[in-house]
PDB file of all heavy atoms in Angstrom:
ATOM      1  N   HIS A  25      48.808 -39.924 -79.416  1.00 94.00           N
ATOM      2  CA  HIS A  25      49.057 -39.183 -78.180  1.00 94.00           C
ATOM      3  C   HIS A  25      50.498 -39.419 -77.748  1.00 94.00           C
ATOM      4  O   HIS A  25      51.180 -40.296 -78.273  1.00 94.00           O
ATOM      5  CB  HIS A  25      48.096 -39.634 -77.073  1.00 94.00           C
ATOM      6  CG  HIS A  25      46.661 -39.576 -77.463  1.00 94.00           C
ATOM      7  ND1 HIS A  25      45.956 -38.404 -77.533  1.00 94.00           N
ATOM      8  CD2 HIS A  25      45.794 -40.566 -77.809  1.00 94.00           C
ATOM      9  CE1 HIS A  25      44.714 -38.661 -77.916  1.00 94.00           C
ATOM     10  NE2 HIS A  25      44.583 -39.967 -78.091  1.00 94.00           N
ATOM     11  N   SER A  26      50.940 -38.662 -76.766  1.00 95.00           N
ATOM     12  CA  SER A  26      52.312 -38.760 -76.295  1.00 95.00           C
ATOM     13  C   SER A  26      52.607 -40.135 -75.691  1.00 95.00           C
ATOM     14  O   SER A  26      51.829 -40.654 -74.887  1.00 95.00           O
ATOM     15  CB  SER A  26      52.588 -37.683 -75.242  1.00 95.00           C
ATOM     16  OG  SER A  26      53.841 -37.885 -74.629  1.00 95.00           O
ATOM     17  N   LYS A  27      53.764 -40.702 -76.060  1.00 94.00           N
ATOM     18  CA  LYS A  27      54.203 -41.957 -75.456  1.00 94.00           C
ATOM     19  C   LYS A  27      54.492 -41.774 -73.962  1.00 94.00           C
ATOM     20  O   LYS A  27      54.519 -42.741 -73.214  1.00 94.00           O
ATOM     21  CB  LYS A  27      55.471 -42.467 -76.154  1.00 94.00           C
ATOM     22  CG  LYS A  27      55.262 -42.932 -77.575  1.00 94.00           C
ATOM     23  CD  LYS A  27      56.577 -43.422 -78.167  1.00 94.00           C
ATOM     24  CE  LYS A  27      56.403 -43.913 -79.586  1.00 94.00           C
ATOM     25  NZ  LYS A  27      57.687 -44.382 -80.178  1.00 94.00           N
ATOM     26  N   HIS A  28      54.713 -40.550 -73.553  1.00 95.00           N
ATOM     27  CA  HIS A  28      55.014 -40.261 -72.149  1.00 95.00           C
ATOM     28  C   HIS A  28      53.763 -40.230 -71.273  1.00 95.00           C
ATOM     29  O   HIS A  28      53.867 -40.101 -70.055  1.00 95.00           O
ATOM     30  CB  HIS A  28      55.754 -38.928 -72.039  1.00 95.00           C
ATOM     31  CG  HIS A  28      57.084 -38.931 -72.713  1.00 95.00           C
ATOM     32  ND1 HIS A  28      58.227 -39.417 -72.109  1.00 95.00           N
ATOM     33  CD2 HIS A  28      57.463 -38.528 -73.951  1.00 95.00           C
ATOM     34  CE1 HIS A  28      59.247 -39.315 -72.952  1.00 95.00           C
ATOM     35  NE2 HIS A  28      58.807 -38.771 -74.064  1.00 95.00           N
ATOM     36  N   GLY A  29      52.594 -40.319 -71.905  1.00 97.00           N
ATOM     37  CA  GLY A  29      51.350 -40.338 -71.144  1.00 97.00           C
ATOM     38  C   GLY A  29      50.228 -39.677 -71.906  1.00 97.00           C
ATOM     39  O   GLY A  29      50.166 -38.448 -71.975  1.00 97.00           O
ATOM     40  N   ALA A  30      49.336 -40.485 -72.483  1.00 97.00           N
ATOM     41  CA  ALA A  30      48.247 -39.943 -73.295  1.00 97.00           C
ATOM     42  C   ALA A  30      47.307 -39.070 -72.468  1.00 97.00           C
ATOM     43  O   ALA A  30      46.972 -37.944 -72.836  1.00 97.00           O
ATOM     44  CB  ALA A  30      47.470 -41.086 -73.957  1.00 97.00           C
ATOM     45  N   ILE A  31      46.878 -39.587 -71.327  1.00 98.00           N
ATOM     46  CA  ILE A  31      45.943 -38.842 -70.478  1.00 98.00           C
ATOM     47  C   ILE A  31      46.620 -37.618 -69.876  1.00 98.00           C
ATOM     48  O   ILE A  31      46.040 -36.523 -69.843  1.00 98.00           O
ATOM     49  CB  ILE A  31      45.361 -39.762 -69.383  1.00 98.00           C
ATOM     50  CG1 ILE A  31      44.352 -40.742 -70.008  1.00 98.00           C
ATOM     51  CG2 ILE A  31      44.704 -38.941 -68.274  1.00 98.00           C
ATOM     52  CD1 ILE A  31      43.804 -41.760 -69.038  1.00 98.00           C
ATOM     53  N   GLN A  32      47.851 -37.784 -69.410  1.00 97.00           N
ATOM     54  CA  GLN A  32      48.579 -36.643 -68.827  1.00 97.00           C
ATOM     55  C   GLN A  32      48.719 -35.504 -69.833  1.00 97.00           C
ATOM     56  O   GLN A  32      48.542 -34.335 -69.503  1.00 97.00           O
ATOM     57  CB  GLN A  32      49.973 -37.086 -68.365  1.00 97.00           C
ATOM     58  CG  GLN A  32      49.972 -37.934 -67.111  1.00 97.00           C
ATOM     59  CD  GLN A  32      51.390 -38.278 -66.653  1.00 97.00           C
ATOM     60  OE1 GLN A  32      51.694 -38.267 -65.470  1.00 97.00           O
ATOM     61  NE2 GLN A  32      52.270 -38.587 -67.598  1.00 97.00           N
ATOM     62  N   GLU A  33      49.046 -35.857 -71.077  1.00 97.00           N
ATOM     63  CA  GLU A  33      49.199 -34.841 -72.121  1.00 97.00           C
ATOM     64  C   GLU A  33      47.878 -34.119 -72.362  1.00 97.00           C
ATOM     65  O   GLU A  33      47.836 -32.884 -72.432  1.00 97.00           O
ATOM     66  CB  GLU A  33      49.674 -35.487 -73.417  1.00 97.00           C
ATOM     67  CG  GLU A  33      49.797 -34.488 -74.570  1.00 97.00           C
ATOM     68  CD  GLU A  33      50.049 -35.171 -75.904  1.00 97.00           C
ATOM     69  OE1 GLU A  33      49.337 -36.147 -76.217  1.00 97.00           O
ATOM     70  OE2 GLU A  33      50.952 -34.723 -76.624  1.00 97.00           O
ATOM     71  N   ALA A  34      46.799 -34.874 -72.505  1.00 98.00           N
ATOM     72  CA  ALA A  34      45.492 -34.268 -72.784  1.00 98.00           C
ATOM     73  C   ALA A  34      45.077 -33.313 -71.668  1.00 98.00           C
ATOM     74  O   ALA A  34      44.612 -32.197 -71.929  1.00 98.00           O
ATOM     75  CB  ALA A  34      44.441 -35.364 -72.964  1.00 98.00           C
ATOM     76  N   LYS A  35      45.256 -33.741 -70.440  1.00 98.00           N
ATOM     77  CA  LYS A  35      44.861 -32.895 -69.308  1.00 98.00           C
ATOM     78  C   LYS A  35      45.711 -31.630 -69.223  1.00 98.00           C
ATOM     79  O   LYS A  35      45.199 -30.544 -68.931  1.00 98.00           O
ATOM     80  CB  LYS A  35      44.959 -33.686 -67.997  1.00 98.00           C
ATOM     81  CG  LYS A  35      43.846 -34.706 -67.811  1.00 98.00           C
ATOM     82  CD  LYS A  35      43.940 -35.365 -66.435  1.00 98.00           C
ATOM     83  CE  LYS A  35      42.743 -36.256 -66.165  1.00 98.00           C
ATOM     84  NZ  LYS A  35      42.799 -36.871 -64.805  1.00 98.00           N
ATOM     85  N   HIS A  36      47.002 -31.773 -69.465  1.00 98.00           N
ATOM     86  CA  HIS A  36      47.905 -30.622 -69.336  1.00 98.00           C
ATOM     87  C   HIS A  36      47.688 -29.609 -70.452  1.00 98.00           C
ATOM     88  O   HIS A  36      47.533 -28.408 -70.198  1.00 98.00           O
ATOM     89  CB  HIS A  36      49.356 -31.097 -69.359  1.00 98.00           C
ATOM     90  CG  HIS A  36      50.348 -29.976 -69.241  1.00 98.00           C
ATOM     91  ND1 HIS A  36      50.793 -29.509 -68.019  1.00 98.00           N
ATOM     92  CD2 HIS A  36      50.961 -29.205 -70.182  1.00 98.00           C
ATOM     93  CE1 HIS A  36      51.635 -28.503 -68.221  1.00 98.00           C
ATOM     94  NE2 HIS A  36      51.755 -28.300 -69.533  1.00 98.00           N
ATOM     95  N   VAL A  37      47.695 -30.079 -71.693  1.00 98.00           N
ATOM     96  CA  VAL A  37      47.625 -29.173 -72.840  1.00 98.00           C
ATOM     97  C   VAL A  37      46.236 -28.581 -73.004  1.00 98.00           C
ATOM     98  O   VAL A  37      46.084 -27.352 -73.116  1.00 98.00           O
ATOM     99  CB  VAL A  37      48.044 -29.907 -74.134  1.00 98.00           C
ATOM    100  CG1 VAL A  37      47.864 -28.986 -75.350  1.00 98.00           C
ATOM    101  CG2 VAL A  37      49.492 -30.378 -74.036  1.00 98.00           C
ATOM    102  N   PHE A  38      45.217 -29.428 -73.015  1.00 98.00           N
ATOM    103  CA  PHE A  38      43.892 -28.968 -73.416  1.00 98.00           C
ATOM    104  C   PHE A  38      42.980 -28.551 -72.264  1.00 98.00           C
ATOM    105  O   PHE A  38      42.165 -27.636 -72.431  1.00 98.00           O
ATOM    106  CB  PHE A  38      43.226 -30.038 -74.281  1.00 98.00           C
ATOM    107  CG  PHE A  38      44.063 -30.391 -75.483  1.00 98.00           C
ATOM    108  CD1 PHE A  38      44.650 -31.637 -75.597  1.00 98.00           C
ATOM    109  CD2 PHE A  38      44.304 -29.456 -76.470  1.00 98.00           C
ATOM    110  CE1 PHE A  38      45.448 -31.955 -76.687  1.00 98.00           C
ATOM    111  CE2 PHE A  38      45.103 -29.749 -77.570  1.00 98.00           C
ATOM    112  CZ  PHE A  38      45.673 -31.003 -77.677  1.00 98.00           C
ATOM    113  N   ILE A  39      43.125 -29.181 -71.109  1.00 98.00           N
ATOM    114  CA  ILE A  39      42.279 -28.804 -69.970  1.00 98.00           C
ATOM    115  C   ILE A  39      42.945 -27.712 -69.129  1.00 98.00           C
ATOM    116  O   ILE A  39      42.413 -26.605 -69.001  1.00 98.00           O
ATOM    117  CB  ILE A  39      41.957 -30.033 -69.091  1.00 98.00           C
ATOM    118  CG1 ILE A  39      41.311 -31.144 -69.943  1.00 98.00           C
ATOM    119  CG2 ILE A  39      41.034 -29.613 -67.951  1.00 98.00           C
ATOM    120  CD1 ILE A  39      40.055 -30.750 -70.683  1.00 98.00           C
ATOM    121  N   LYS A  40      44.120 -27.992 -68.598  1.00 98.00           N
ATOM    122  CA  LYS A  40      44.799 -27.022 -67.733  1.00 98.00           C
ATOM    123  C   LYS A  40      45.089 -25.714 -68.448  1.00 98.00           C
ATOM    124  O   LYS A  40      44.893 -24.620 -67.886  1.00 98.00           O
ATOM    125  CB  LYS A  40      46.107 -27.626 -67.201  1.00 98.00           C
ATOM    126  CG  LYS A  40      46.906 -26.670 -66.321  1.00 98.00           C
ATOM    127  CD  LYS A  40      48.208 -27.311 -65.855  1.00 98.00           C
ATOM    128  CE  LYS A  40      49.033 -26.331 -65.032  1.00 98.00           C
ATOM    129  NZ  LYS A  40      50.328 -26.939 -64.596  1.00 98.00           N
ATOM    130  N   ASN A  41      45.563 -25.792 -69.691  1.00 98.00           N
ATOM    131  CA  ASN A  41      45.982 -24.581 -70.403  1.00 98.00           C
ATOM    132  C   ASN A  41      44.976 -24.092 -71.436  1.00 98.00           C
ATOM    133  O   ASN A  41      45.249 -23.137 -72.162  1.00 98.00           O
ATOM    134  CB  ASN A  41      47.336 -24.818 -71.069  1.00 98.00           C
ATOM    135  CG  ASN A  41      48.453 -24.922 -70.040  1.00 98.00           C
ATOM    136  OD1 ASN A  41      48.673 -24.009 -69.264  1.00 98.00           O
ATOM    137  ND2 ASN A  41      49.148 -26.058 -70.022  1.00 98.00           N
ATOM    138  N   GLY A  42      43.824 -24.747 -71.494  1.00 98.00           N
ATOM    139  CA  GLY A  42      42.790 -24.331 -72.432  1.00 98.00           C
ATOM    140  C   GLY A  42      41.441 -24.144 -71.768  1.00 98.00           C
ATOM    141  O   GLY A  42      41.031 -23.026 -71.453  1.00 98.00           O
ATOM    142  N   LEU A  43      40.760 -25.243 -71.502  1.00 98.00           N
ATOM    143  CA  LEU A  43      39.400 -25.183 -70.957  1.00 98.00           C
ATOM    144  C   LEU A  43      39.315 -24.441 -69.635  1.00 98.00           C
ATOM    145  O   LEU A  43      38.338 -23.734 -69.369  1.00 98.00           O
ATOM    146  CB  LEU A  43      38.856 -26.611 -70.796  1.00 98.00           C
ATOM    147  CG  LEU A  43      37.407 -26.729 -70.318  1.00 98.00           C
ATOM    148  CD1 LEU A  43      36.442 -26.075 -71.309  1.00 98.00           C
ATOM    149  CD2 LEU A  43      37.042 -28.199 -70.095  1.00 98.00           C
ATOM    150  N   SER A  44      40.340 -24.574 -68.798  1.00 97.00           N
ATOM    151  CA  SER A  44      40.305 -23.946 -67.470  1.00 97.00           C
ATOM    152  C   SER A  44      40.209 -22.424 -67.536  1.00 97.00           C
ATOM    153  O   SER A  44      39.790 -21.783 -66.571  1.00 97.00           O
ATOM    154  CB  SER A  44      41.534 -24.348 -66.655  1.00 97.00           C
ATOM    155  OG  SER A  44      42.711 -23.813 -67.235  1.00 97.00           O
ATOM    156  N   LEU A  45      40.587 -21.830 -68.669  1.00 97.00           N
ATOM    157  CA  LEU A  45      40.509 -20.372 -68.804  1.00 97.00           C
ATOM    158  C   LEU A  45      39.073 -19.865 -68.809  1.00 97.00           C
ATOM    159  O   LEU A  45      38.821 -18.684 -68.588  1.00 97.00           O
ATOM    160  CB  LEU A  45      41.189 -19.923 -70.108  1.00 97.00           C
ATOM    161  CG  LEU A  45      42.682 -20.223 -70.268  1.00 97.00           C
ATOM    162  CD1 LEU A  45      43.173 -19.692 -71.607  1.00 97.00           C
ATOM    163  CD2 LEU A  45      43.495 -19.619 -69.134  1.00 97.00           C
ATOM    164  N   PHE A  46      38.128 -20.773 -69.061  1.00 96.00           N
ATOM    165  CA  PHE A  46      36.734 -20.368 -69.217  1.00 96.00           C
ATOM    166  C   PHE A  46      35.894 -20.633 -67.972  1.00 96.00           C
ATOM    167  O   PHE A  46      34.670 -20.478 -68.010  1.00 96.00           O
ATOM    168  CB  PHE A  46      36.127 -21.072 -70.430  1.00 96.00           C
ATOM    169  CG  PHE A  46      36.784 -20.670 -71.723  1.00 96.00           C
ATOM    170  CD1 PHE A  46      37.920 -21.332 -72.172  1.00 96.00           C
ATOM    171  CD2 PHE A  46      36.283 -19.619 -72.459  1.00 96.00           C
ATOM    172  CE1 PHE A  46      38.547 -20.944 -73.355  1.00 96.00           C
ATOM    173  CE2 PHE A  46      36.892 -19.223 -73.643  1.00 96.00           C
ATOM    174  CZ  PHE A  46      38.027 -19.892 -74.092  1.00 96.00           C
ATOM    175  N   ASP A  47      36.536 -21.014 -66.883  1.00 90.00           N
ATOM    176  CA  ASP A  47      35.841 -21.248 -65.622  1.00 90.00           C
ATOM    177  C   ASP A  47      34.672 -22.204 -65.846  1.00 90.00           C
ATOM    178  O   ASP A  47      34.876 -23.311 -66.315  1.00 90.00           O
ATOM    179  CB  ASP A  47      35.386 -19.921 -65.019  1.00 90.00           C
ATOM    180  CG  ASP A  47      35.004 -20.039 -63.557  1.00 90.00           C
ATOM    181  OD1 ASP A  47      35.454 -21.006 -62.904  1.00 90.00           O
ATOM    182  OD2 ASP A  47      34.263 -19.182 -63.060  1.00 90.00           O
ATOM    183  N   SER A  48      33.445 -21.776 -65.570  1.00 88.00           N
ATOM    184  CA  SER A  48      32.273 -22.635 -65.796  1.00 88.00           C
ATOM    185  C   SER A  48      31.354 -22.065 -66.876  1.00 88.00           C
ATOM    186  O   SER A  48      30.204 -22.485 -67.013  1.00 88.00           O
ATOM    187  CB  SER A  48      31.479 -22.807 -64.488  1.00 88.00           C
ATOM    188  OG  SER A  48      32.252 -23.486 -63.515  1.00 88.00           O
TER     189      SER A  48
END
Side-chain angles (χ1 to χ4, degrees):
H25 307 284
S26 171
K27 291 180 179 179
H28 297 277
I31 287 175
Q32 287 183 140
E33 178 189 47
K35 286 185 173 182
H36 180 88
V37 176
F38 303 112
I39 304 303
K40 178 182 177 181
N41 290 302
L43 184 61
S44 66
L45 298 181
F46 296 87
D47 196 21
S48 296

